[in-house]
Amino acid sequence: MFDVLVYLYENYWRPDACPDHDQLSKKLSAVGFESEEIQDALSWLDGLTHVADTCSTPQSAHAMRVYTPFEQEHLGTSSIAFISFLESAGVLPPAMRELVVDRAMATSNSPIDLDDLKIIVLMVFWSMGEEPDALILDELFVDATDRLIH
């Protein structure tokens, strides 16, 4: 599923640039993705669209997120720490954080892999029509072991 999401991010400027589901499924299949992988990704994106449309409750910038034990188990320590890092850096406002948490919880991986969480963050930005700044993109795409230290 995550490979399909990355493909969509890399090949479509915004979600509304994607063709309808039937056409997109055919195109993804022609590229080489498995049918189950395609359907999982499209269902996940539909969930993202639904949650983004219904999530209109404003949240205070000073609100603190408390994770339930189930969320802690499903997300894992490294993913929660990464979400907190993005929040403290000022690039993940509370409403977007909730989208990230919701979509992470909608995956079957437990605990979710940090690289998969980064794709979720990227897709939340993509679905909102926003592009994270260059430093955040670097954090989302570049493996820490590949970084050059100056």
Side-chain angles (χ1 to χ4, degrees):
M1 175 183 90
F2 289 103
D3 291 336
V4 174
L5 295 176
V6 170
Y7 178 86
L8 294 175
Y9 179 84
E10 290 175 343
N11 289 282
Y12 294 97
W13 167 246
R14 293 182 0 191
D16 57 358
C18 292
D20 64 60
H21 278 347
D22 290 336
Q23 212 173 8
L24 184 57
S25 291
K26 289 176 186 172
K27 183 171 184 161
L28 292 168
S29 183
V31 172
F33 292 109
E34 298 292 326
S35 179
E36 183 178 338
E37 206 177 10
I38 294 167
Q39 293 312 310
D40 287 348
L42 294 180
S43 293
W44 187 91
L45 283 173
D46 286 342
L48 175 58
T49 301
H50 176 72
V51 171
D53 289 344
T54 60
C55 183
S56 60
T57 307
Q59 296 183 16
S60 167
H62 304 292
M64 181 171 68
R65 177 63 153 90
V66 177
Y67 294 92
T68 67
F70 181 68
E71 289 172 330
Q72 291 174 22
E73 181 181 324
H74 190 80
L75 295 172
T77 307
S78 60
S79 292
I80 292 173
F82 186 72
I83 292 169
S84 295
F85 160 73
L86 293 175
E87 283 184 280
S88 66
V91 296
L92 192 65
M96 287 179 80
R97 176 201 60 222
E98 292 307 309
L99 288 174
V100 168
V101 170
D102 178 82
R103 294 293 76 207
M105 295 300 292
T107 65
S108 59
N109 306 356
S110 184
I112 190 163
D113 185 69
L114 183 57
D115 288 336
D116 292 344
L117 180 78
K118 289 179 179 183
I119 293 169
I120 291 171
V121 171
L122 192 62
M123 294 308 293
V124 167
F125 274 97
W126 180 75
S127 73
M128 305 293 279
E130 297 181 26
E131 186 166 328
D133 66 30
L135 293 176
I136 296 305
L137 277 174
D138 182 56
E139 189 64 39
L140 293 173
F141 279 120
V142 177
D143 187 6
T145 59
D146 294 335
R147 295 184 196 278
L148 294 175
I149 299 176
H150 298 287

